[in-house]
Amino acid sequence: MSQVYAVTQRVLEASPERVYEALADYEQTRPRLLPAQYSEYEVREGGKGAGTRVHWKLQATEKRIRDCLFTVSEPTPGELVETDANSSMVITWTVTPAGEGRAKVVVETTWQGAGGIGGFFERTFAPKGINRIHDEVLGRLAAELG
């Protein structure tokens, strides 16, 4: 098994505080940002930032659907870390200033992938799919804050 890593980033025309607040709002804002690959979205505990537990199904490919149950932590200011109880997947959202009234959002996703030839294909193609999904989330976030 080897680690699979994907990273997506975007600069948004909104303050870092506003961007972070929107990302940390799992009750109202987050559901509006999710593209069609997400289903069965449900906040199970909390709803704002650290301590939130949120469930969704993610259809990464036609055949691959992940049943995810994430617990959210905030290890440092401007950082949300979503850790999946059902797999090794961890999604880290980092918001930093990017000039006057702008914020840079970096989304990093990691998990332990398969070994062998299947693992090679997973490491090669899965990050591209995850990046497309997260880029769409960031586009919806930009529109939400615009």
Side-chain angles (χ1 to χ4, degrees):
M1 294 193 3
S2 62
Q3 189 171 62
V4 181
Y5 176 78
V7 62
T8 306
Q9 59 186 343
R10 186 180 285 213
V11 174
L12 302 176
E13 299 294 328
S15 72
E17 296 79 18
R18 225 175 128 220
V19 171
Y20 188 82
E21 184 178 295
L23 286 172
D25 179 6
Y26 290 85
E27 290 179 305
Q28 301 297 317
T29 307
R30 276 295 187 98
R32 293 194 299 265
L33 305 179
L34 302 178
Q37 292 90 341
Y38 289 83
S39 64
E40 299 183 30
Y41 183 90
E42 175 188 24
V43 174
R44 295 196 175 166
E45 207 173 291
K48 299 252 194 252
T52 296
R53 285 174 44 91
V54 62
H55 170 268
W56 63 70
K57 289 193 176 177
L58 176 63
Q59 185 161 0
T61 67
E62 273 186 39
K63 297 177 183 176
R64 175 86 168 145
I65 299 174
R66 285 182 178 262
D67 186 14
C68 304
L69 179 58
F70 285 99
T71 299
V72 179
S73 63
E74 296 179 71
T76 62
E79 185 178 57
L80 290 167
V81 177
E82 301 167 348
T83 304
D84 187 12
N86 297 334
S87 74
S88 59
M89 182 177 279
V90 176
I91 304 171
T92 303
W93 301 80
T94 306
V95 180
T96 56
E100 189 65 36
R102 297 173 66 177
K104 179 179 179 182
V105 181
V106 178
V107 188
E108 296 174 278
T109 308
T110 61
W111 70 91
Q112 290 300 314
I117 191 71
F120 169 78
F121 285 107
E122 184 177 18
R123 286 187 309 280
T124 303
F125 297 107
K128 292 175 178 139
I130 292 291
N131 287 341
R132 273 193 305 277
I133 292 168
H134 283 150
D135 190 57
E136 189 169 345
V137 170
L138 292 176
R140 288 171 179 234
L141 177 61
E144 175 86 15
L145 297 172

